[in-house]
Amino acid sequence: MLTACSSGSEEPTTGAAASGDGGYTIGVANFMLSGPYFSGMDKAIAAQAQKKGNVEIISTDANGDAAKLASNVEDLLTKNVDAVIISGGPLESAPAVLNSIKAAGKPVVLVDRKFQTGEYTSWIGPDNEAIGRQNGEYLSTALPDGGKVAIIKGGPADNSIGLARTNGVKSVLSANSKFTLVEAPDFGNWGSDGGLTVMESLLATNKDIKAVFCENDAMCLGAQRAIADAGLSDGIIIAGVDGQAEALKAILDGTNYKVTGLNDADIIGAKGLDRAVEILGGAANVEKDTVVPSPMVTKDNAAQFQNPDGSF
């Protein structure tokens, strides 16, 4: 049976591992569940556990607080979970968390975010710079005459995932003198509302923007609203990252949202759960780092990536 808890404060009551039937109890330590990507990841892990039938999930939310993440992990360890999956969101490192898990002798699987420091058992995620490059290549083809391309970052300034995506776009467009890049001075904070606000500010001083790249789809969906409100949808195309359901629909509907790079929370979450079970099952030669393919998604192929049963 699967028991998915919203907080690590609840004791598991029907843990598969505790019942001695050969199953596992796996803790999921989420740095934050406030964004659609991260909540989708958490739901995907739980859904994959349910499919296996002998895996119990205890999920926690640190609400973006690193100290809370550490205490949540300690709480999971006191519950004697068999393994821990960490969805780190924008957190760059969590050495205390990883040290605690190592000291307890438990495996730890990182999903999406690979921490800059500390030891982990396995990581599963995308090549973010490659996603950015393919978006840059799309824009260079879609805009043969070049033009001004706005960039909306999620933040904070040292977020390596966002930086990799933006650097990928820049590596392509900066090499073409027909393009001018304008980075928004403010962060969109990875959400639709943030993307809306930042795009409004950009349009106030840059009426001649031809395209906008956002470090995730959620911000791009907000930017799209701002562009529509300004009556500029016919003249500005949009490029995002993740493959969020709403972005895929906008692409299929033929709007000015033209491209995204797949970084599907459903896929990575499911693979993360599978990897944890694989490790617990004693599999030999488990891959330490697994890069999940991130194909470019346009109107031509978006339908194949839609998942009506997905969480993201």
Side-chain angles (χ1 to χ4, degrees), residues 64-155:
D65 184 333
K68 177 61 175 172
L69 180 72
S71 67
N72 283 347
V73 167
E74 293 289 352
D75 190 45
L76 290 170
L77 294 174
T78 64
K79 290 176 169 62
N80 198 30
V81 296
D82 297 295
V84 178
I85 296 173
I86 298 179
S87 175
L91 190 65
E92 286 293 328
S93 64
V97 171
L98 295 178
N99 289 341
S100 294
I101 298 170
K102 180 181 178 181
K106 309 290 186 179
V108 56
V109 176
L110 308 180
V111 287
D112 184 48
R113 163 72 70 181
K114 184 195 291 186
F115 291 140
Q116 299 298 298
T117 59
E119 295 183 34
Y120 58 92
T121 311
S122 189
W123 163 79
I124 296 175
D127 182 337
N128 288 293
E129 189 163 351
I131 297 174
R133 284 197 302 272
Q134 67 190 17
N135 272 5
E137 289 160 2
Y138 178 92
L139 291 175
S140 65
T141 300
L143 298 170
D145 296 327
K148 186 178 289 187
V149 177
I151 296 175
I152 299 179
K153 297 180 177 181

Side-chain angles (χ1 to χ4, degrees), residues 254-304:
T255 71
N256 59 330
Y257 208 129
K258 297 299 183 183
V259 64
T260 189
L262 194 70
N263 179 37
D264 196 315
D266 290 328
I267 294 172
I268 294 177
K271 286 182 178 293
L273 189 282
D274 287 345
R275 178 60 51 82
V277 171
E278 182 184 4
I279 293 166
L280 291 170
N285 303 317
V286 174
E287 196 170 41
K288 185 175 180 66
D289 291 335
T290 300
V291 176
V292 178
S294 300
M296 182 169 67
V297 182
T298 66
K299 189 175 182 180
D300 292 337
N301 64 349
Q304 75 184 72

Side-chain angles (χ1 to χ4, degrees), residues 126-133 158-171 213 215:
D127 182 337
N128 288 293
E129 189 163 351
I131 297 174
R133 284 197 302 272
D158 63 349
N159 189 314
S160 59
I161 285 179
L163 287 172
R165 293 173 181 179
T166 288
N167 287 341
V169 171
K170 285 179 166 182
S171 70
F213 165 75
E215 291 179 344

Side-chain angles (χ1 to χ4, degrees), residues 32-39 61 63-64:
M32 60 196 309
L33 289 176
S34 55
Y37 185 85
F38 305 120
S39 62
D61 180 8
N63 294 306

Side-chain angles (χ1 to χ4, degrees), residues 13 27 29 48-49 54 89 95 106 165 174 193 215:
T13 57
Q48 189 70 1
N54 66 338
K106 309 290 186 179
R165 293 173 181 179
S174 294
D193 289 345
E215 291 179 344

